[in-house]
């Protein structure tokens, strides 16, 4: 992720926190960085809300991406076939 001239994100304890950009998120979920960029620019509902914005670009903490990834439906998931009646 690009560095922000205004300083880097810090955790509550003042320690440096890793922030992932498009490339790192793509690697984590198995898609190209361009796909993640497209998800963000056109289909924001496909990504979690960014934890930070650096130089106008979204950034996510690894824990945010991993938590979202664990709940992300797999390829071929059909929402129209899900039983919504409880």
């Amino acid at each position: 992720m690009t560095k922000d001239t205004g300083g880097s994100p810090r955790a509550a304890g003042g320690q440096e926190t890793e922030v992932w950009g498009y490339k790192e998120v793509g690697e984590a979920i198995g898609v190209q960085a361009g796909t993640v960029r497209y998800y963000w620019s056109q289909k924001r509902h496909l990504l979690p809300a960014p934890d930070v914005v650096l130089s106008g670009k979204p950034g996510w903490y690894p824990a945010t991406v991993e938590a979202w990834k664990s709940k992300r439906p797999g390829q071929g998931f059909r929402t129209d076939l899900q039983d919504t009646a409880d």
Side-chain angles (χ1 to χ4, degrees), residues 2 6-7 12 15 18-20 42 45-46 49 51 63 68 74:
T2 58
Q15 297 176 350
E18 182 179 13
V19 176
W20 285 358
Q42 301 295 319
H45 63 278
L46 295 179
D51 295 304
W68 167 75

Side-chain angles (χ1 to χ4, degrees), residues 2-3 5 16 25 39 43 55 58 62 69 74:
T2 58
K3 301 267 185 198
T5 56
E16 188 97 9
V25 172
Y39 287 173
K43 299 181 178 281
S55 300
K69 180 181 169 186

